[in-house]
Amino acid sequence: MSSFSTSVGLRYAFTRQRSGFSSFVAIASMLGMVLGVASLITVLSVMNGFGGELRERILALVPHAYLEWLGDEELPVEDVSRQLSDFEQVIATAPFHSDTVLVVGPYTQQGALVTGIDPLAQQRVSELGNKVSFGALEDIQAPNTIILGAALARSIGAIAGDEVRLILPRVTTTPFGAFPRSKRLKLVGVFEVGAQQDATQGYVSRATATRLFGSGGKKGMQLRLRDLWEAPGLKAGVMEQFGESARYRPWNASQGSLFRAIKMEKITVTVLLLGVVFVAAFNIVATLVMAVTERRGDIAVLRTMGASRGEISRIFVLQGLALATLGISFGVAIGCFLALNVASLVEFFEQLLGTKLFDPSVYYISRLPSRLQWEDVVTVVALALFLSLLAVLYPARRASRVPPAEVLRYE
């Protein structure tokens, strides 16, 4: 773009020599761009925060992958661990034995997934040991003991030291008839990660699980990898090693739908908020159309002085992009500030209003999470600039077609 088009375009963009209504529309279009860009960056950062918080809490208990035995044959734990350690991605393994049961407490009963684990090995594949809020994970090594999620324990009315009864989906035949198989266990601790697992899971030792489930339930190994995103790609190698005797299940097989839903919500919100940017870009069209109307005399003079249609068009393209860029710049600054400080701002309004916007007992969180990702900022800026460029093309083309002779005749 020539220095002539640049200097004239910037002068037109920031000159005060325009009608009051034109100035109002120009300011409104710029403020609309500021609002749209700032809203997009802030909302995307908050959604990133929620997604990251949820992923960290869920994956605190969920291993990166499971290797489940098919059939009744159980492979030796030591041999399997040695074979899995041959994969450079695998940094730790731990055996498990799980089944679905009905947990009966003093008040009510609720279904849950109870998993038999080795407490020492489990701490190498998950953060369960760090999430036990009462008692210790090692306490389940005692016979007939269990730890439950905090929400599950509250719902059935059990506290540490109480006995809970586990009813299994199997029956025991006696001379008096068939009865569900059940076992009383002592509750020695509770864990809390602030996610759905708090209301649906419990843990016992592998020895207790063997007595409870017998040959039933699911058995296998839990894997922790160097990087959790390597879990899906490891499937082919593991299945080649163990064949049809086992089934490999990465973390995203059970939790992936949740994170895909979060990603889809993020895309949906982005598209909806882009409507604000689109409206601001449409206002830029109105601003430039009025500018072309007001500058018809200037355009005619410039054409008679030798300016080409392309140069006239570039002048108004630059004028529109200058307004849009100014709005986008302010929007990025405000959006980044809000994204980085939204938690503090929410806390300030909570103190000001004397209320708690995020009750931990309801939302599992006590503050609004936010994670600013620069790739989101770049994407928002690129989309806003693209919409602005589309908006200025028509008015710029219209300016280049102003007939100078006809305009000067009536000036």
Side-chain angles (χ1 to χ4, degrees), residues 364-393:
Y364 288 122
I365 60 173
S366 58
R367 60 200 306 267
L368 189 64
S370 177
R371 293 186 181 183
L372 179 63
Q373 296 182 354
W374 293 110
E375 54 266 31
D376 288 341
V377 176
V378 172
T379 301
V380 170
V381 171
L383 289 173
L385 285 174
F386 176 71
L387 290 176
S388 301
L389 179 60
L390 291 180
V392 302
L393 291 180

Side-chain angles (χ1 to χ4, degrees), residues 213-280:
F213 310 142
S215 59
K218 295 180 180 180
K219 302 178 183 179
M221 299 291 289
Q222 304 170 78
L223 284 68
R224 186 173 185 85
L225 308 183
R226 182 180 53 195
D227 183 355
L228 65 91
W229 300 108
E230 296 178 331
L234 191 62
K235 181 176 181 178
V238 172
M239 294 308 299
E240 182 180 356
Q241 179 79 23
F242 292 94
E244 298 181 356
S245 61
R247 178 176 61 184
Y248 179 83
R249 189 159 52 92
W251 67 272
N252 60 338
S254 58
Q255 308 296 331
S257 58
L258 174 61
F259 295 109
R260 283 192 296 271
I262 294 175
K263 185 177 181 180
M264 182 58 64
E265 288 179 358
K266 181 178 177 181
I267 294 173
T268 303
V269 170
T270 302
V271 172
L272 293 176
L273 287 179
L274 273 177
V276 179
V277 179
F278 180 79
V279 171

Side-chain angles (χ1 to χ4, degrees), residues 28-79:
S29 63
M30 188 180 70
L31 291 179
M33 191 66 71
V34 171
L35 177 63
V37 171
S39 300
L40 261 174
I41 293 175
T42 304
V43 171
L44 290 179
S45 298
V46 171
M47 295 195 71
N48 290 335
F50 274 114
E53 192 83 11
L54 189 61
R55 181 166 55 249
E56 289 179 0
R57 294 183 181 210
I58 290 178
L59 296 183
L61 295 187
V62 177
H64 294 168
Y66 289 95
L67 185 64
E68 299 176 4
W69 313 138
L70 300 178
D72 296 332
E73 182 181 359
E74 182 178 357
L75 303 180
V77 172
E78 293 78 9
D79 294 344

